[in-house]
């Protein structure tokens, strides 16, 4: 569009500047350039051409070639507006979503963020905790379920919880057992904190969930690597056989990934290529530092002991991420449960990969 515009400007400038009709002719030229430029890009003629910009009062074109004010106004406005990052209000928690296919490294990435931002500042929730309970089915039926379809998860409850956290309420996050495919009886309290970190394969596939997220990161890893990682993990941590993993991958994981997860990538603000990697983490953390500082400042001392953005404490935890020191040596882990033993293994095995240096 811009290239077309500057060439027709050239034609306009050939005329004499003192010509009293110049302005009108300029305007006509502007109409011409609009005709040859914009018209080519718009799907169908929608009405007479009306004033376009300040100083350009174009004569309406004959129907049906013209363009309506309703169409051109917003179009031109949008062209003139700088592209703005979608920001949520700074008065509530900053909501961060990390999505990606199974085995892409989103847990690894999310936990690195969790550590780097400071656990006391982050409410960490996984969509996995909201898998629906299947205890009404016999085990053989349960294990054949499609766990990669959005209907397998109680997303409405998660959205409700996110909204409650934003209002400052503590929520009871369900606990899920991947070995039995059931919810446990107990729940896990998640307290409101300045940053809400949400992770899951399908979090960008649900509109109501996407709307709750201010910053959306997609961890993008090729399917062969994801499958290999999944095999390792599911054998070690989820008590699965190689045969069952491959069977599940072919029947549900892969097709659902192609249908729901991959297209949801377009919702992302940031795409991390090659899975979790230190350069991406560092860059993301640097950018986030300003956002987080703002949010921590806003939420005050009950959730943020260091209000001063230059305080040694904040510098320390951001630096922690930069060094890649990611060991989770405490019991303040995320509200994510896959049974006790799995949680322990998962924490340690993920974090070793990115242990400092
Ligand atoms: N960049 C990486 N290089 C090597 N292994 C990785 C990498 N990222 C993750 N992993 C390993 O792959 C497995 C799956 O990673 P995880 O973060 O749990 O993925 P997701 O949460 O997306 O399923 C884990 O065992 C983890 O240690
Ligand atoms: N009972 C269940 C529930 C889910 N899954 C699989 O978990 C995957 C999502 O978790 P990631 O940590 O890998 O993102 C998903 O692909 C489900 O197939 C399961 O196997 N059993």
């Amino acid at each position: 569009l811009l290239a077309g515009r500057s060439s027709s400007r050239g034609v306009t400038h050939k005329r004499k500047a003192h010509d009293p009709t110049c302005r009108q002719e300029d305007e006509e030229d502007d109409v011409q350039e609009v005709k040859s430029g914009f018209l080519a890009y718009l799907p169908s003629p929608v009405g007479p051409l009306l004033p376009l910009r300040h100083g350009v009062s174009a004569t309406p074109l004959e129907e049906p070639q013209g363009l309506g004010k309703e169409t051109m106004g917003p179009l031109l406005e949008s062209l003139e507006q700088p592209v703005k990052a979608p920001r949520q209000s700074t008065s509530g928690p900053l909501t961060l979503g990390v999505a990606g296919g199974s085995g892409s490294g989103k847990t690894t990435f999310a936990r690195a963020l969790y550590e780097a931002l400071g656990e006391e500042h982050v409410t960490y929730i996984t969509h996995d905790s909201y898998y629906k309970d299947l205890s009404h089915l016999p085990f053989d039926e349960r294990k054949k379920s499609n766990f990669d379809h959005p209907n397998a998860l109680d997303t409405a409850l998660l959205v409700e919880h996110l909204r409650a956290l934003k209002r400052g309420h503590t929520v009871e996050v369900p606990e899920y057992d991947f070995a039995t495919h059931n919810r446990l009886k107990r729940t896990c309290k998640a307290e409101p904190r300045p940053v809400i970190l949400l992770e899951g394969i399908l979090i960008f596939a649900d509109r109501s969930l996407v709307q709750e997220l201010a910053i959306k990161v997609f961890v993008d890893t090729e399917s062969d690597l994801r499958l290999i990682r999944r095999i390792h993990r599911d054998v070690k941590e989820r008590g699965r056989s190689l045969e069952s993993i491959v069977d599940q991958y072919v029947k549900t994981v892969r097709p659902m990934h192609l249908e729901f997860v991959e297209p949801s990538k377009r919702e992302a603000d940031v795409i991390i290529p090659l899975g979790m990697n230190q350069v991406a983490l560092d860059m993301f953390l640097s950018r986030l530092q300003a956002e987080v500082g703002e949010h921590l400042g806003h939420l005050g001392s009950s959730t943020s002991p260091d209000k001063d953005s230059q305080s040694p404490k904040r510098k320390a935890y951001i630096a922690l991420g930069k060094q890649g020191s990611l060991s989770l040596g405490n019991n303040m882990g995320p509200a994510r449960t896959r049974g006790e033993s799995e949680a322990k293994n998962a924490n340690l095995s993920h974090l070793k990969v990115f242990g400092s240096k």
Side-chain angles (χ1 to χ4, degrees), residues 317-330:
Y317 67 69
I318 296 293
L320 190 65
K322 289 185 173 166
Q323 287 162 7
S325 165
L326 306 174
S327 59
L328 277 179
N330 59 66

Side-chain angles (χ1 to χ4, degrees), residues 299-311:
L299 290 186
S301 56
S302 62
T303 44
S304 169
D306 62 328
K307 279 188 195 166
D308 172 11
S309 64
Q310 294 308 310
S311 76

Side-chain angles (χ1 to χ4, degrees), residues 209-348:
L209 209 42
V210 167
Q211 280 168 354
E212 298 298 325
L213 301 169
I215 301 178
K216 296 174 281 299
V217 180
F218 190 95
V219 182
D220 204 13
T221 304
E222 284 170 38
S223 52
D224 53 350
L225 287 176
R226 290 193 293 100
L227 176 58
I228 292 167
R229 290 178 189 171
R230 186 171 163 122
I231 291 170
H232 268 273
R233 183 198 58 194
D234 284 6
V235 167
K236 253 173 51 191
E237 296 166 16
R238 295 186 182 176
R240 311 276 169 94
S241 67
L242 178 60
E243 198 189 357
S244 78
I245 297 165
V246 172
D247 187 56
Q248 185 189 13
Y249 186 83
V250 172
K251 285 191 179 137
T252 54
V253 180
R254 186 175 183 278
M256 296 300 104
H257 179 89
L258 295 175
E259 186 171 346
F260 296 105
V261 184
E262 193 62 30
S264 78
K265 199 198 292 184
R266 73 165 76 97
E267 300 289 346
D269 303 305
V270 179
I271 296 174
I272 309 283
L274 309 171
M276 157 68 190
N277 69 81
Q278 196 62 49
V279 174
L281 177 66
D282 288 351
M283 289 180 77
F284 188 74
L285 278 170
S286 307
R287 178 66 190 88
L288 205 60
Q289 190 170 11
E291 296 278 342
V292 172
E294 205 174 293
H295 275 75
L296 296 180
H298 265 277
L299 290 186
S301 56
S302 62
T303 44
S304 169
D306 62 328
K307 279 188 195 166
D308 172 11
S309 64
Q310 294 308 310
S311 76
K313 189 169 187 343
R314 176 161 304 119
K315 280 186 190 149
Y317 67 69
I318 296 293
L320 190 65
K322 289 185 173 166
Q323 287 162 7
S325 165
L326 306 174
S327 59
L328 277 179
N330 59 66
N331 59 4
M332 293 183 63
R336 162 195 184 108
T337 306
R338 297 175 169 180
E340 300 280 44
S341 61
E342 191 206 356
K344 276 186 211 146
N345 288 338
N347 286 348
L348 297 174

Side-chain angles (χ1 to χ4, degrees), residues 17-300:
H18 64 268
D19 186 337
T21 64
C22 189
R23 184 175 167 75
Q24 180 59 38
E25 284 172 6
D26 272 347
E27 289 166 3
E28 280 169 7
D29 271 358
D30 272 321
V31 173
Q32 290 310 316
E33 84 191 37
V34 166
K35 278 167 75 182
S36 58
F38 285 105
L39 286 181
Y41 290 86
L42 288 166
S44 63
V46 286
L49 186 64
L50 290 167
L52 300 175
R53 299 183 299 273
H54 178 69
V56 182
S57 329
T59 312
L61 292 175
E62 280 173 22
E63 299 265 13
Q65 292 150 294
L67 298 165
K69 185 160 78 183
E70 312 77 45
T71 305
M72 291 306 291
L75 177 64
L76 288 168
E77 263 170 37
S78 73
L79 289 174
E80 281 161 15
Q81 293 296 316
V83 177
K84 287 189 193 123
R87 291 278 308 272
Q88 64 176 27
S89 144
T90 50
S91 59
L94 175 74
T95 46
L96 245 168
V98 181
S102 174
S104 60
K106 52 188 185 304
T107 307
T108 310
F109 188 79
R111 287 181 186 215
L113 290 179
Y114 177 69
E115 273 289 285
L117 296 175
E119 295 149 22
E120 70 278 26
H121 297 125
V122 184
T123 309
Y124 181 7
I125 295 182
T126 79
H127 202 187
D128 286 355
S129 301
Y130 294 78
Y131 269 113
K132 290 177 184 165
D133 181 54
L134 296 178
S135 56
H136 54 285
L137 297 174
F139 182 73
D140 278 350
E141 285 300 310
R142 292 203 293 268
K143 69 180 187 192
K144 286 189 223 146
S145 294
N146 181 350
F147 296 106
D148 293 76
H149 191 280
N151 289 347
L153 294 132
D154 188 353
T155 301
L157 181 64
L158 172 57
V159 170
E160 204 179 287
H161 283 177
L162 290 176
R163 289 182 183 158
L165 284 165
K166 287 180 184 181
R167 291 194 305 269
H169 300 300
T170 296
V171 297
E172 299 284 343
V173 175
E175 291 199 21
Y176 189 73
D177 183 358
F178 281 79
T180 61
H181 314 286
N182 288 333
R183 273 195 194 170
L184 299 176
K185 289 217 163 60
R186 60 172 192 252
T187 55
C188 177
K189 276 196 194 327
E191 291 167 9
R193 291 186 184 152
V195 178
I196 300 174
L197 178 57
L198 178 68
E199 177 221 318
I201 53 172
L202 290 163
I203 60 173
F204 298 165
D206 184 286
R207 185 108 308 264
S208 59
L209 209 42
V210 167
Q211 280 168 354
E212 298 298 325
L213 301 169
I215 301 178
K216 296 174 281 299
V217 180
F218 190 95
V219 182
D220 204 13
T221 304
E222 284 170 38
S223 52
D224 53 350
L225 287 176
R226 290 193 293 100
L227 176 58
I228 292 167
R229 290 178 189 171
R230 186 171 163 122
I231 291 170
H232 268 273
R233 183 198 58 194
D234 284 6
V235 167
K236 253 173 51 191
E237 296 166 16
R238 295 186 182 176
R240 311 276 169 94
S241 67
L242 178 60
E243 198 189 357
S244 78
I245 297 165
V246 172
D247 187 56
Q248 185 189 13
Y249 186 83
V250 172
K251 285 191 179 137
T252 54
V253 180
R254 186 175 183 278
M256 296 300 104
H257 179 89
L258 295 175
E259 186 171 346
F260 296 105
V261 184
E262 193 62 30
S264 78
K265 199 198 292 184
R266 73 165 76 97
E267 300 289 346
D269 303 305
V270 179
I271 296 174
I272 309 283
L274 309 171
M276 157 68 190
N277 69 81
Q278 196 62 49
V279 174
L281 177 66
D282 288 351
M283 289 180 77
F284 188 74
L285 278 170
S286 307
R287 178 66 190 88
L288 205 60
Q289 190 170 11
E291 296 278 342
V292 172
E294 205 174 293
H295 275 75
L296 296 180
H298 265 277
L299 290 186

